[in-house]
Amino acid sequence: MNQESQAKNVAILIYDRVEPLDFVGPFEVFITGSNRGKDLNVYTVAEHNRPVIALGQLSINPSYTIANCPQPDILIIPGGWGARTEMHNVVITDWIKEAFHRVEIVLSVCTGALIIAMTDLLDGLKLTTNRLAINELRAILPSAEILEEARYVDNGKIVLSAGVSAGMDASLYVIERLFGEERALSTARIMEYDWNRV
């Protein structure tokens, strides 16, 4: 059996003023839980082929653009102050909507929920986001059931997490869903991370 051909593609969207831990935390979880790259192929993707300037002036070179990235099986949408801009970027929201029909899981981290909320993909779901952005999310989806105390919420195809480090907890949860509890616990042990499973 060719394991390499079965590796799932994990695309992590990055954009200007993204919160570093929102994407680096899940990146670390998925590469650590990838069985040395045999089960998961993790990469960053951005709208443009240029360095992305995250919060704190961290410069990141995306692996791909949305025009040339491998088809994702798992799509991660991180948050940060830049989410308030990208939520109005129809190029990004249209790309997410188009990708949604072919992916297995979409994982929102922190205020990444604001971006996904603009795609109409969250209607009728249980939601969470960064505690400081609850009212912003409620303004977009006033009738949504928002679980303010949840670290992460599983809606099947869409998993949403609360702020920053909660994205690592949700990522470990996705690893558990894909590969079982022992893989997730082993990933957390290797990272020396105290997995909050609430």
Side-chain angles (χ1 to χ4, degrees):
M1 178 167 37
N2 185 347
Q3 287 185 316
E4 186 175 342
S5 67
Q6 295 182 350
K8 294 179 185 293
N9 287 329
V10 181
I12 303 178
L13 179 69
I14 56 173
Y15 49 83
D16 288 336
R17 297 191 304 147
V18 66
E19 171 65 45
L21 193 58
D22 278 13
F23 77 90
V24 174
F27 192 99
E28 181 68 29
V29 170
F30 282 100
I31 61 170
T32 303
S34 72
N35 188 22
R36 299 181 185 266
K38 293 175 185 174
D39 298 327
L40 299 169
N41 172 39
V42 187
Y43 54 87
T44 54
V45 58
E47 181 180 1
H48 303 290
N49 185 21
R50 61 164 175 76
V52 167
I53 307 301
L55 290 173
Q57 299 300 305
L58 175 66
S59 180
I60 313 107
N61 293 315
S63 301
Y64 299 98
T65 69
I66 60 175
N68 67 14
C69 75
Q71 172 60 45
D73 297 296
I74 299 161
L75 177 58
I76 301 173
I77 311 296
W81 284 108
R84 278 82 171 182
T85 300
E86 299 308 317
M87 65 190 279
H88 301 293
N89 182 345
V90 294
V91 174
I92 292 297
T93 55
D94 283 351
W95 178 73
I96 292 169
K97 280 192 284 192
E98 194 270 332
F100 177 78
H101 300 291
R102 297 190 305 244
V103 301
E104 185 177 338
I105 297 171
V106 174
L107 170 59
S108 164
V109 178
C110 193
T111 52
L114 300 178
I115 300 174
I116 302 177
M118 299 300 283
T119 67
D120 298 325
L121 297 173
L122 299 184
D123 292 349
L125 303 184
K126 293 181 179 180
L127 312 179
T128 196
T129 187
N130 187 299
R131 305 290 179 262
L132 301 178
I134 293 288
N135 289 336
E136 291 175 83
L137 185 58
R138 189 169 281 125
I140 301 168
L141 298 168
S143 63
E145 182 180 356
I146 299 176
L147 306 180
E148 298 186 29
E149 300 305 316
R151 290 288 283 176
Y152 51 86
V153 180
D154 184 0
N155 291 281
K157 192 166 185 176
I158 298 181
V159 177
L160 299 101
S161 82
V164 197
S165 65
M168 296 172 69
D169 296 326
S171 297
L172 284 162
Y173 172 75
V174 171
I175 291 288
E176 180 182 39
R177 262 185 56 178
L178 294 172
F179 305 112
E181 182 182 43
E182 183 48 44
R183 176 79 67 93
L185 291 171
S186 173
T187 299
R189 280 196 300 271
I190 291 168
M191 295 171 56
E192 297 193 31
Y193 180 72
D194 187 10
W195 181 16
N196 187 336
R197 303 176 73 174
V198 176

